[in-house]
Amino acid sequence: MGLKDKYEPYFKIGTAVNIRTIKTHEELLRQHFNNITFENEMKYSSVCRAPGEYNFTAADRIYEFARENNMTVHGHCLVWHNQTPGFIFENTTPDDLKETLREHIRLLGNRYGELAESWDVVNEGIEDKTDLFYRDTKWHRMYGDNYMDGMFMIAHEVLPGKKLFYNDYNESIPEKREKIYQLVKGMKERGVPIDGIGLQCHHNIYEPGVDGLKKAIERYAELGLRLRITEMDISVFRFEDRTHLAEAPKELMERQAELYEQYFELFREYHELIDAVTLWGPADDTTWLDNFPEPGRKNWPLLFDVNQEPKEAYHRVMNF
Ligand code: GLA
């Protein structure tokens, strides 16, 4: 029995995959996951390298993998400040850019809409370092406050019947949590077609902890929307820490296992609100945290180890 089977009564179990891991982790993916997010291959600058020129080769391959294995897809992501080609903002007007975006979403929706029931419409639009509310992005500069309303309207028109999400990180840190809450509350009050909030959950074994996450889930739940855990991993280092370790220390792995256990217990408690819990990668042999925030520093943030074998954390999540 895999994770996805054990959690069938609760929510989908997702992971981020890429063009490489659908081969290197094929068996693991098949056994444990029933929803996938394309790590990069669906992002704007991955599919569109020059104005109006699209190449879907890599994304198509991952999509086929999902289809062959009866997995659904979480579309990621439509409006973001990163991995978005700068040329779409050049020599354009706000109205024309909307048409460009509409066409972009239409192309993705037509191609991947059958398996992609849910989409991150806007990713990371809230500022988390200063007192500003919105992150200063080209999107915000073009349209000003409330710019996400229009993005969700377009997505709603072009992707009818799909669940539309706002997705962000530091979602459990009180200041940012409140900003995200206010953002989405405002959208709901203005009648914007938003269905849910994606909690990225790039956490570490020290913070925000299960209480922080619980408060975030409860706060967002007040909005009466769907929730997804979209990019979960639990780093063994504090964010500021730049230590390198040759191996994963046992006591840190134990602490991580406890935390995963508590997190999944919490998710089960709130399963009626949660559509999916997605890990940001299948196993510890390939994780973006090996290069972030410290390039070349090994990390072990997931449920399967560098040999793709179940970790203690996995057993804790499975045995309840
Ligand atoms: C953000 C994005 C993801 C991914 C991660 C880092 O959280 O939403 O698509 O790029 O950063 O891998």
Side-chain angles (χ1 to χ4, degrees), residues 39-40 43 76-77 80 83 123-124 167 169 200 202 231 280 288:
E39 188 173 0
N40 291 303
K43 289 173 180 168
H76 174 73
C77 48
W80 195 23
Q83 294 177 266
N123 198 27
E124 306 179 347
N167 189 46
Y169 66 93
Q200 290 190 5
H202 290 296
E231 308 187 12
W280 202 244
W288 75 296

Side-chain angles (χ1 to χ4, degrees), residues 1 23 29 69 84 111 137 151 155 160 172 187 265 281 286 304:
M1 177 190 277
K23 294 212 182 77
L29 293 169
N69 293 294
T84 300
R111 221 164 170 100
T137 67
M151 308 311 174
S172 304
M187 282 200 254
E265 211 178 321
T286 167
F304 297 89

Side-chain angles (χ1 to χ4, degrees), residues 126-128 130-134 166 168-187 197 199 211-223:
I126 286 290
E127 167 68 17
D128 58 346
T130 69
D131 287 344
L132 287 179
F133 187 79
Y134 288 98
Y166 173 76
D168 215 328
Y169 66 93
N170 280 354
E171 74 299 317
S172 304
I173 308 281
E175 301 79 55
K176 185 140 170 211
R177 180 193 73 211
E178 288 310 302
K179 287 190 203 173
I180 294 171
Y181 173 85
Q182 292 302 337
L183 171 81
V184 177
K185 182 163 175 277
M187 282 200 254
I197 299 178
L199 293 79
D211 292 340
L213 180 55
K214 185 173 179 159
K215 286 206 183 90
I217 289 178
E218 287 177 346
R219 186 64 164 147
Y220 299 143
E222 288 174 32
L223 295 165

Side-chain angles (χ1 to χ4, degrees), residues 99-196:
E99 289 317 305
T100 304
L101 179 67
R102 187 190 308 276
E103 178 62 7
H104 173 72
I105 301 177
R106 198 183 60 75
L107 286 170
L108 288 172
N110 285 352
R111 221 164 170 100
Y112 306 125
E114 195 187 330
L115 301 183
E117 302 165 338
S118 55
W119 294 78
D120 289 331
V121 177
V122 179
N123 198 27
E124 306 179 347
I126 286 290
E127 167 68 17
D128 58 346
K129 291 183 190 68
T130 69
D131 287 344
L132 287 179
F133 187 79
Y134 288 98
R135 183 192 282 265
D136 178 24
T137 67
K138 289 183 177 163
W139 296 108
H140 183 255
R141 285 186 194 179
M142 185 70 87
Y143 300 104
D145 292 356
N146 297 349
Y147 75 95
M148 296 180 206
D149 294 10
M151 308 311 174
F152 276 86
M153 308 266 200
I154 293 173
H156 179 67
E157 284 163 29
V158 183
L159 305 170
K162 302 299 176 186
K163 285 194 186 152
L164 306 179
F165 284 78
Y166 173 76
N167 189 46
D168 215 328
Y169 66 93
N170 280 354
E171 74 299 317
S172 304
I173 308 281
E175 301 79 55
K176 185 140 170 211
R177 180 193 73 211
E178 288 310 302
K179 287 190 203 173
I180 294 171
Y181 173 85
Q182 292 302 337
L183 171 81
V184 177
K185 182 163 175 277
M187 282 200 254
K188 277 207 69 181
E189 285 165 0
R190 294 188 296 277
V192 175
I194 177 170
D195 297 289

